[in-house]
Amino acid sequence: MVISYFPGRGTVFEEAYYDGEANGKAAGLTQGMAQGLAEGLAEGMVKGMARGMAASIVRVLEARGLTVSHEVRARVVGCTDLARLDFWLGRVGTVEQAEGLFAMRPGEPPEKPALE
């Protein structure tokens, strides 16, 4: 004897219910995958921009003949904050030493630590 908690087992209504449930799960999975892909692409774009900006900062410092210590290189390359990197990129052409890139100015917000 088969026990079913669905009233009217084997009816058109039951089949429609289970078809709807399957279709709903498939649609949810598709939507979740699309959303995950979009978020992953956006995150990848931001990381790529950060890497490119960091590489540019280090390259300009080196091209200007400034000594870029391991600490400076690690700090610049490890930064993922696009606003901070943009700020440094604007400053990179005027600093006298690579470490001057990080000098605080009055009213400047403190640097946020990297999350990764």
Side-chain angles (χ1 to χ4, degrees):
M1 179 167 151
V2 176
I3 298 174
S4 173
Y5 297 103
F6 198 92
R9 177 147 174 81
T11 63
V12 173
F13 181 72
E14 180 186 27
E15 290 177 19
Y17 173 82
Y18 286 125
D19 285 346
E21 183 179 39
N23 290 339
K25 285 180 182 179
L29 179 63
T30 301
Q31 182 181 0
M33 288 175 61
Q35 182 178 352
L37 178 62
E39 289 173 6
L41 287 173
E43 184 178 332
M45 292 286 289
V46 169
K47 285 183 179 180
M49 288 176 64
R51 285 183 187 153
M53 291 173 78
S56 296
I57 291 167
V58 172
R59 180 70 179 114
V60 169
L61 289 170
E62 291 172 340
R64 291 186 56 218
L66 301 177
T67 302
V68 181
S69 68
H70 176 72
E71 292 80 17
V72 169
R73 184 181 308 274
R75 188 169 173 185
V76 171
V77 171
C79 182
T80 58
D81 181 357
L82 293 180
R84 175 69 52 186
L85 288 165
D86 187 56
F87 179 77
W88 288 343
L89 195 55
R91 184 185 258 190
V92 74
T94 61
V95 294
E96 295 178 17
Q97 297 178 348
E99 291 77 12
L101 197 62
F102 312 119
M104 294 286 291
R105 292 183 180 168
E108 181 182 331
E111 184 175 348
K112 294 182 252 177
L115 298 176
E116 296 180 28

